[in-house]
Amino acid sequence: MIKNHQYLVFFIVCFFQPQSIIAQSPISTSIQSNTLLDTTEQKIIISGINITGNKHTKTYIIEREIPFKAGDSLLQKNLTAILVQARNQVYNTNLFTEVKFDSIQQADSSLKINIVVRERWYIFPTPQFQLVDRSLNEWIKTYNADFNRVVYGLKFAHYNFSGRRDQLRIYLLNGYARNISASYSAPYSNTKLTEGFGVAAGFTQNREVGYKLNYNNKILNYKKSGFVRNNFNAAIGYSIRKGFFKTTNFSVGFNYSNIDDSIVTSKYNPSYFNSANNKRFIPDFGVGISYTNTDNNNYPQKGLIYSYGISKRGLQFIGGINSLSLSGSFAKFYKHKHNYFSIVQSSAMVKLPFEQAFINRRALGFGSLSLRGLEVYLIDGVAAGVAKYTLNKKVTEFKIPIPFKLKSLAYIPFKIFAKTYTDVGYSYLSKKYDSRLNNKLLYTGGFGIDVVTFYDIVFKVEYSFNQLGEKGLFLHGKGGY
């Protein structure tokens, strides 16, 4: 039963559900020590590790992220760095709002490590209010904030279902689109805590389908009375994470899509599926490797993230919806003096063969292949890349105490960052599908503010401009788990 004082948390979090965006974990972590550490080659023994504060999370899930165990000997000169790394890894599980490490010197000169964690609230039966459009700006500028173009309903999520960092999500949504779906992921499914799995399935119905992009890179939507697309999907995944930073993921899934038969005719887009058949069974296979080693995975200021992978759609290699995709991304975070840090990012993809069905041509404007200042445009492509640079400075940081007792949150923290940025990108597409933003170098820039608060909620206010001479204010809000 949800207590009354937790509604504040639910109300804010329910409107900022997780997407593929970097957000900051705002509660500070700390390391305390009553020992004097020097730079000698002397070794020090870890006599014990004591973990408290985890009421629901299994202790061995926390221990799995610590790069040492009781009885290990560590070089004294490396001890501080090792403790910082251990603290970061425990915090980056996203299971806790606070993580503290204490090192206490014993009479025999060994060290005992005390770890105190504050667990998040994991259960969120939250109301949902979602836009069918890609962004808030598109909903306001293109559709005049039409409330008929929203999806509403309920999401039930448990982000630590059995205390093993496993997640269960159930969506029941209605409105302009319908969605009934469920997923479960368990990153630690074997006794060594090195393997995991995930399963997902869902059924969606849509009242409109984007069937083509026009020359001005705006989506053309097909709609009529009732639903024009019915889609069933299911997927399974398997992961391997033997160390701390690198994960290998394997996935197999399929979509069965049934669209209105008018969409695949010459009047609209016969290349939608590259077939006159409006019902398609679409299998997908993928392998990906990701590496994450940062001071804070949710809003990094120092560290490295990269990923690369290969995916196959369809059972053949040419024609129809068949494609072979290669993709990769890279992000390096540099911490500077005086609360400055900078980010260098790049992403790229290529799809073979170059003749692809419309549903396979997504490029700039989707996921990491996005340019700040061109949010209202979609740019198809079979090969695309972007590069970004951001310079951030922390302007201020403060905390507002909560006037009532809440175990998962003692205060509401705020961190405010000012930033400036510039992006470049390119998307290649066959001339017969050409638009004004394909096959040319694109560049944008701007400045803005990031406001980061509890439970990884981040608000972004960005004023961007592009090479088309356009400029404007763009709002983004993401967060939750």
Side-chain angles (χ1 to χ4, degrees):
M1 193 71 176
I2 300 172
K3 298 180 180 180
N4 291 335
H5 59 255
Q6 291 162 342
Y7 286 132
L8 174 63
V9 176
F10 296 152
F11 176 77
I12 298 176
V13 173
C14 71
F15 291 109
F16 295 95
Q17 296 303 314
Q19 307 293 335
S20 54
I21 191 173
I22 297 176
Q24 182 180 10
S25 296
I27 306 297
S28 62
T29 54
S30 65
I31 289 181
Q32 301 174 4
S33 175
N34 66 352
T35 64
L36 291 176
L37 304 180
D38 58 28
T39 58
T40 68
E41 297 294 326
Q42 182 178 350
K43 289 188 175 181
I44 191 166
I45 296 175
I46 305 299
S47 59
I49 301 174
N50 182 47
I51 301 173
T52 59
N54 54 314
K55 304 298 183 182
H56 184 69
T57 306
K58 307 296 185 185
T59 298
Y60 56 80
I61 296 300
I62 301 173
E63 293 173 336
R64 192 256 183 261
E65 303 302 324
I66 301 172
F68 55 83
K69 60 183 183 296
D72 284 355
S73 296
L74 305 176
L75 282 177
Q76 205 169 46
K77 68 176 184 179
N78 297 334
L79 185 58
T80 298
I82 292 173
L83 290 179
V84 169
Q85 183 68 62
R87 178 207 64 184
N88 291 344
Q89 289 171 195
V90 172
Y91 188 77
N92 283 334
T93 61
N94 286 329
L95 296 176
F96 312 107
T97 60
E98 191 172 87
V99 177
K100 294 181 179 179
F101 273 59
D102 261 335
S103 59
I104 303 174
Q105 191 167 27
Q106 306 297 295
D108 59 358
S109 297
S110 66
L111 277 187
K112 181 180 180 181
I113 307 298
N114 288 330
I115 303 172
V116 181
V117 299
R118 182 191 293 270
E119 291 186 321
R120 292 188 176 201
W121 183 257
Y122 301 123
I123 305 173
F124 286 94
T126 54
Q128 297 290 289
F129 181 87
Q130 301 176 4
L131 306 178
V132 297
D133 304 301
R134 292 184 311 114
S135 68
L136 182 64
N137 287 76
E138 182 180 2
W139 181 58
I140 294 174
K141 291 184 177 181
T142 305
Y143 297 102
N144 299 314
D146 184 358
F147 278 91
N148 290 320
R149 297 180 60 81
V150 301
V151 177
Y152 54 87
L154 180 69
K155 170 189 173 183
F156 172 82
H158 198 311
Y159 294 100
N160 196 10
F161 189 67
S162 68
R164 294 168 55 92
R165 202 184 168 193
D166 48 340
Q167 299 185 5
L168 172 67
R169 294 183 178 90
I170 299 173
Y171 288 88
L172 300 171
L173 304 177
N174 201 353
Y176 200 71
R178 291 177 179 172
N179 179 6
I180 301 173
S181 61
S183 65
Y184 176 77
S185 63
Y188 309 119
S189 60
N190 65 335
T191 56
K192 294 183 179 180
L193 306 180
T194 57
E195 299 175 7
F197 73 93
V199 294
F203 176 72
T204 59
Q205 293 180 299
N206 303 88
R207 298 183 190 274
E208 70 178 41
V209 172
Y211 66 90
K212 184 187 293 187
L213 293 182
N214 64 16
Y215 179 76
N216 292 315
N217 296 95
K218 297 296 181 68
I219 191 73
L220 300 177
N221 290 311
Y222 175 86
K223 54 185 175 181
K224 66 178 186 180
S225 178
F227 294 102
V228 297
R229 176 169 61 186
N230 298 283
N231 189 83
F232 177 77
N233 66 84
I236 58 174
Y238 167 72
S239 64
I240 302 173
R241 179 174 171 253
K242 294 184 177 180
F244 296 109
F245 310 120
K246 184 178 290 187
T247 304
T248 302
N249 293 290
F250 303 87
S251 63
V252 178
F254 74 87
N255 284 271
Y256 177 77
S257 190
N258 179 2
I259 63 175
D260 191 278
D261 55 10
S262 297
I263 295 174
V264 296
T265 64
S266 58
K267 182 179 178 180
Y268 292 100
N269 191 356
S271 68
Y272 186 88
F273 284 142
N274 267 346
S275 169
N277 188 353
N278 67 313
K279 300 177 182 179
R280 294 304 304 263
F281 175 81
I282 306 173
D284 287 288
F285 312 89
V287 180
I289 294 175
S290 61
Y291 177 92
T292 302
N293 183 7
T294 70
D295 58 345
N296 186 320
N297 291 350
N298 297 301
Y299 198 89
Q301 298 180 39
K302 181 180 180 181
L304 173 65
I305 299 174
Y306 67 79
S307 65
Y308 54 91
I310 182 171
S311 61
K312 178 70 178 70
R313 168 164 285 183
L315 301 176
Q316 301 176 3
F317 287 94
I318 59 173
I321 48 83
N322 294 284
S323 72
L324 179 68
S325 301
L326 305 173
S327 62
S329 64
F330 170 92
K332 179 68 174 177
F333 305 85
Y334 300 91
K335 198 166 188 176
H336 310 303
K337 296 179 180 179
H338 308 299
N339 287 322
Y340 283 95
F341 69 97
S342 56
I343 310 170
V344 177
Q345 298 170 274
S346 62
S347 299
M349 70 84 181
V350 62
K351 295 182 180 181
L352 301 173
F354 280 172
E355 184 65 30
Q356 286 291 323
F358 173 74
I359 62 169
N360 294 340
R361 293 186 216 140
R362 289 184 172 184
L364 302 188
F366 297 93
S368 62
L369 289 169
S370 60
L371 298 175
R372 291 166 288 191
L374 287 171
E375 284 94 334
V376 298
Y377 297 103
L378 296 175
I379 308 167
D380 277 354
V382 291
V386 300
K388 305 179 181 182
Y389 177 78
T390 307
L391 178 64
N392 291 42
K393 177 178 173 58
K394 185 167 71 173
V395 177
T396 187
E397 177 180 2
F398 57 92
K399 302 172 183 177
I400 300 177
I402 294 179
F404 42 77
K405 187 177 181 180
L406 188 60
K407 290 183 179 180
S408 60
L409 197 67
Y411 48 81
I412 299 177
F414 290 91
K415 292 182 180 180
I416 299 177
F417 297 84
K419 65 183 178 183
T420 184
Y421 49 85
T422 183
D423 301 348
V424 295
Y426 187 92
S427 178
Y428 169 78
L429 190 64
S430 171
K431 287 293 183 182
K432 67 179 179 178
Y433 304 119
D434 201 12
S435 72
R436 66 170 177 160
L437 297 180
N438 284 109
N439 306 316
K440 62 187 65 175
L441 185 67
L442 304 173
Y443 50 89
T444 66
F447 52 89
I449 295 289
D450 291 351
V451 180
V452 184
T453 184
F454 73 96
Y455 276 38
D456 297 348
I457 295 174
V458 57
F459 301 92
K460 293 177 180 282
V461 181
E462 298 173 346
Y463 188 83
S464 303
F465 48 86
N466 58 43
Q467 69 196 82
L468 304 175
E470 300 170 337
K471 53 190 175 182
L473 192 66
F474 294 86
L475 308 176
H476 304 276
K478 303 292 181 183
Y481 280 80

